[in-house]
Amino acid sequence: MAKDDSWFMIRAPFVKNALWVCRDVEGGENGSERVYPAGKYVPQTRQTPTDSIGNWVKDEKHTDGEDILVYFTVGTTHIPRPEDWPVMPMDAFRVSLKPVSFFKVNPSLDVPETQDHLSVPAQPAQNGQACHF
């Protein structure tokens, strides 16, 4: 809800989007790694951190066929409580990424059938009739 030119958005451009995708850079740029999408020292800056997601995606290079990094924001912003001082507790959450339409068909359909001679019915057939469970 903050304006793009506000002090808050200049300092923390990572809040503009809930999902960010950028190219991974082997060995990092200028010896740095893309570990801190908000910048390494967010509380200590008044400008956009030079090594942050806002600058990583500035050039808008394509990510097709490239190694990528995905950053996402989960949940709501932190609402301070008296219990959070002097150390903020941890909130646990679980994330699951599941591909959709990744394959045109299920690749397990092409697995050859096995003949297992040890796999037999638990109950032998009675009077020539097959057992039905």
Side-chain angles (χ1 to χ4, degrees):
M1 296 179 71
K3 293 181 180 180
D4 284 341
D5 61 346
S6 68
W7 174 74
F8 175 76
M9 289 303 253
I10 290 170
R11 180 179 174 187
F14 63 91
V15 299
K16 290 180 183 178
N17 298 312
L19 178 72
W20 293 85
V21 177
C22 67
R23 294 172 69 172
D24 189 15
V25 178
E26 189 70 34
E29 294 175 358
N30 302 324
S32 64
E33 296 182 37
R34 292 188 167 176
V35 178
Y36 307 102
K40 194 167 185 179
Y41 306 107
V42 175
Q44 300 173 359
T45 181
R46 291 209 178 255
Q47 300 299 323
T48 301
T50 55
D51 191 22
S52 66
I53 192 78
N55 288 328
W56 299 340
V57 300
K58 246 184 203 173
D59 55 9
E60 297 183 13
K61 291 182 181 175
H62 295 287
T63 57
D64 190 26
E66 298 288 335
D67 290 338
I68 62 169
L69 298 171
V70 177
Y71 298 95
F72 56 96
T73 302
V74 179
T76 59
T77 57
H78 175 67
I79 300 171
R81 306 171 299 167
E83 296 84 5
D84 295 344
W85 190 87
V87 178
M88 184 177 136
M90 185 222 31
D91 250 345
F93 66 93
R94 185 176 299 185
V95 174
S96 178
L97 301 174
K98 297 180 182 181
V100 175
S101 301
F102 188 75
F103 296 108
K104 292 183 181 186
V105 296
N106 187 338
S108 67
L109 296 176
D110 200 22
V111 176
E113 184 178 331
T114 60
Q115 297 294 330
D116 185 0
H117 67 281
L118 297 175
S119 185
V120 295
Q123 298 289 328
Q126 302 281 332
N127 300 330
Q129 297 177 349
C131 286
H132 297 287
F133 296 100

